[in-house]
Amino acid sequence: MGTLYVVGIGPGAEDLVTPRARAALARADVIVGYVLYVDLVRAWLPEARYQASPIGSETERAQESLRLASELDRVALVCSGDAGVYGLAGLAHELRAAIDWGDHSPPSIDVIPGVTAATAAAALLGAPLGHDFAAVSLSDLLTPWDAIVRRLEAVAAADFVLALYNPASRTRRRQLAEARAILLRYRSPETPVGIVTDASRAGQRMAVTDLANLLAHEVGMLSIVIVGNSQTRVLDGRMVTPRGYSDLMTLTQHVATGEGLLRKERA
Amino acid sequence: MGTLYVVGIGPGAEDLVTPRARAALARADVIVGYVLYVDLVRAWLPEARYQASPIGSETERAQESLRLASELDRVALVCSGDAGVYGLAGLAHELRAAIDWGDHSPPSIDVIPGVTAATAAAALLGAPLGHDFAAVSLSDLLTPWDAIVRRLEAVAAADFVLALYNPASRTRRRQLAEARAILLRYRSPETPVGIVTDASRAGQRMAVTDLANLLAHEVGMLSIVIVGNSQTRVLDGRMVTPRGYSDLMTLTQHVATGEGLLRKERA
């Protein structure tokens, strides 16, 4: 009986992989993952043994990694971002419980967290997640669209910052348009929106725009879209959400008493 | 003109600090932070120069770090978890824009993301954040309590997994009790709840319980509380949220066809 490490490698840059994740990958007898993530890891650890699989076969991939972990010592299953946020950690736990292991002991599962896509994107945009936020996936493969709509309505009405995962794909654009329409019923068209594509990977692109102009921007499978709340502002090109509703007042008071720093009136 | 690095060091374990964060800390002329986080970093980088400040003076700390960055080359402002999630990244950007820099150029700000407390806690608990989730802080220092209540209602009604930051302190217990009461209007008392305190630090404690029994457990300033959605299950002691609403069916079909693995009926 071995251990399956479900490893979040972060958004894709080598220097955002935690040492714990790196060690789990380096020590693994085999590294299993979607071909795009396996190729990333292979560039960092060319000597390791890999088993890459195409997208869309998450269940097979998780099941295969569990099977390998029941035979080997250490198996790593690679996830982008955090292993537990729309990642394979849950599926691995579910499969481990669902499989009849017969005479074998089931492998242990160790989930190694990582920098999730929303916070990696947020760091590039400024600080849009500075207060309460919700993460919603716009993929309706496993979740009925009306459940997603209900979540978007709730988020919009309760003034959450919103991080949209899987906002669109080449063939799926309607969901993003509908999400924007729902948000516009509760928020101003000037509400800041940040879009980051391929965060910290080759070809990284980002834009700070607003709800009015969101659909004019390129948004794809590898994009994260962050929609501000009623307090979010664009300051010197960065998207910033204050930590509450009385922060600005407090802030101005503090700046007024700062040593050697003059107070500037806030717009 | 220098650069202020707002650095998320993750939940506290040295092997969950990203290399990018570590490099920013190691190269800084001075490292500014709350005394608890500065002590963590000092154990890893004893040679660096530090400026620790007590809790509760976030604005002064961010302002001081900006002032230092306007005079030095590289200043690091330490945050636990991710620098932008209830962290100081937003405050730094706000202050940079609010301060009248006179003849000086304002320092640049570079936010370095980290493993946020919710995903670090989730990895220990299993995979509770496997589907759409919301992060809500129960601290009503800067946010009116009725705004927090509105968010909790929205989260509960729309079946989000909920990650509670700042759930309680020594003197503040009422908010957690009220949050639980709101959730119980929408969710079963058997809804799984995970509590992690001091995740990945000395004295780490965790419990998997349910809404009915939540208040019987120790919850403090350094705890994260994760409340499952209607689909969250406890499997072999781990808290697991499936990635959607049709996953279980798909899963059973896949397991049924698995090579060498027998299907087990799911409860």
Side-chain angles (χ1 to χ4, degrees):
Chain A
M1 169 200 134
T3 300
L4 175 63
Y5 296 88
V6 191
V7 181
I9 59 167
E14 185 172 4
D15 67 352
L16 290 177
V17 181
T18 68
R20 188 180 298 179
R22 179 106 184 187
L25 293 167
R27 287 188 201 137
D29 299 304
V30 59
I31 298 173
V32 180
Y34 168 46
V35 60
L36 183 71
Y37 309 141
V38 159
D39 284 350
L40 278 174
V41 177
R42 203 194 302 268
W44 313 327
L45 297 169
E47 305 297 316
R49 188 179 143 212
Y50 292 93
Q51 186 167 321
S53 58
I55 202 169
S57 57
E58 280 93 354
T59 308
E60 288 85 345
R61 196 181 305 144
Q63 190 170 337
E64 174 67 2
S65 65
L66 280 164
R67 188 186 65 77
L68 289 164
S70 75
E71 294 171 0
L72 301 166
D73 232 24
R74 299 160 166 274
V75 174
L77 177 60
V78 180
C79 304
S80 74
D82 181 85
V85 176
Y86 308 113
L88 296 177
L91 198 53
H93 276 296
E94 285 188 89
L95 283 164
R96 181 182 180 279
I99 288 168
D100 182 349
W101 293 96
D103 293 338
H104 293 70
S105 317
S108 301
I109 295 179
D110 192 352
V111 180
I112 300 183
V115 175
T116 186
T119 71
L124 293 167
L125 292 166
L129 301 182
H131 202 232
D132 300 341
F133 69 93
V136 174
S137 166
L138 289 189
S139 167
D140 54 1
L141 281 178
L142 296 174
T143 304
W145 179 244
D146 57 358
I148 299 173
V149 164
R150 192 158 55 102
R151 287 192 179 148
L152 293 169
E153 295 266 5
V155 159
D159 205 28
F160 277 98
V161 176
L162 173 62
L164 290 172
Y165 283 73
N166 308 308
S169 71
R170 224 165 310 168
T171 56
R172 187 169 58 73
R173 301 282 303 177
R174 179 183 56 79
Q175 288 87 338
L176 184 62
E178 286 193 34
R180 173 179 169 275
I182 291 167
L183 288 158
L184 278 172
R185 290 211 297 275
Y186 296 88
R187 292 189 196 170
S188 142
E190 288 81 41
T191 303
V193 174
I195 305 164
V196 180
T197 303
D198 287 317
S200 94
R201 291 188 295 266
Q204 172 185 303
R205 306 180 287 296
M206 53 180 288
V208 175
T209 179
D210 58 22
L211 271 181
N213 295 292
L214 165 56
L215 298 180
H217 290 263
E218 185 205 358
V219 176
M221 283 256 289
L222 301 172
S223 305
I224 288 282
V225 174
I226 299 183
V227 181
N229 71 10
S230 67
Q231 307 299 302
T232 306
R233 298 287 174 269
V234 178
L235 300 172
D236 300 327
R238 303 298 185 97
M239 189 176 164
V240 178
T241 304
R243 295 177 307 158
Y245 291 85
S246 42
D247 224 24
L248 289 184
M249 197 188 64
T250 320
L251 190 64
T252 307
Q253 286 168 350
H254 277 288
V255 173
T257 63
E259 307 160 88
L261 297 172
L262 296 175
R263 173 177 176 183
K264 187 165 93 178
E265 290 302 323
R266 296 174 66 87
Chain B
M1 168 200 132
T3 300
L4 175 63
Y5 296 87
V6 191
V7 181
I9 60 168
E14 186 172 3
D15 67 351
L16 289 177
V17 181
T18 67
R20 188 181 298 180
R22 179 105 184 188
L25 293 167
R27 288 187 200 140
D29 299 304
V30 59
I31 298 173
V32 180
Y34 168 46
V35 59
L36 182 71
Y37 308 141
V38 158
D39 284 351
L40 277 174
V41 177
R42 204 193 302 268
W44 311 328
L45 297 168
E47 305 297 316
R49 190 178 142 212
Y50 292 92
Q51 187 167 320
S53 59
I55 201 169
S57 58
E58 280 94 353
T59 308
E60 289 85 345
R61 196 180 306 143
Q63 192 170 336
E64 174 67 2
S65 64
L66 280 164
R67 189 187 65 75
L68 289 165
S70 73
E71 295 170 358
L72 301 166
D73 232 26
R74 297 159 166 277
V75 174
L77 176 60
V78 180
C79 303
S80 74
D82 181 86
V85 175
Y86 307 113
L88 296 176
L91 199 52
H93 275 296
E94 285 188 89
L95 284 163
R96 181 182 181 279
I99 289 167
D100 182 351
W101 293 95
D103 292 339
H104 293 70
S105 316
S108 301
I109 295 179
D110 192 353
V111 180
I112 299 183
V115 175
T116 187
T119 71
L124 292 167
L125 292 166
L129 302 182
H131 203 230
D132 300 341
F133 68 94
V136 174
S137 167
L138 289 189
S139 167
D140 54 2
L141 282 178
L142 297 173
T143 304
W145 179 246
D146 58 358
I148 299 173
V149 165
R150 192 159 53 103
R151 286 190 180 150
L152 293 169
E153 295 266 6
V155 159
D159 204 29
F160 277 98
V161 177
L162 173 62
L164 290 172
Y165 282 74
N166 308 307
S169 71
R170 225 166 310 168
T171 56
R172 188 168 57 74
R173 302 280 304 177
R174 179 184 54 79
Q175 288 87 339
L176 184 62
E178 286 194 34
R180 173 179 169 274
I182 291 166
L183 288 158
L184 278 172
R185 290 212 298 275
Y186 296 89
R187 293 190 196 169
S188 143
E190 288 81 42
T191 302
V193 174
I195 305 165
V196 180
T197 303
D198 287 317
S200 93
R201 293 188 293 267
Q204 171 184 303
R205 306 180 286 298
M206 54 180 286
V208 174
T209 178
D210 57 22
L211 272 180
N213 296 292
L214 165 58
L215 298 179
H217 291 262
E218 185 204 359
V219 177
M221 284 255 289
L222 300 172
S223 304
I224 288 281
V225 175
I226 299 183
V227 181
N229 70 11
S230 66
Q231 307 299 302
T232 306
R233 297 287 175 268
V234 178
L235 300 173
D236 300 326
R238 304 297 186 96
M239 190 175 163
V240 179
T241 303
R243 295 177 306 158
Y245 290 84
S246 41
D247 225 23
L248 289 184
M249 195 188 65
T250 319
L251 191 63
T252 308
Q253 286 169 350
H254 277 289
V255 173
T257 62
E259 306 160 90
L261 298 171
L262 296 176
R263 174 178 175 181
K264 187 165 92 178
E265 289 303 322
R266 296 174 67 88

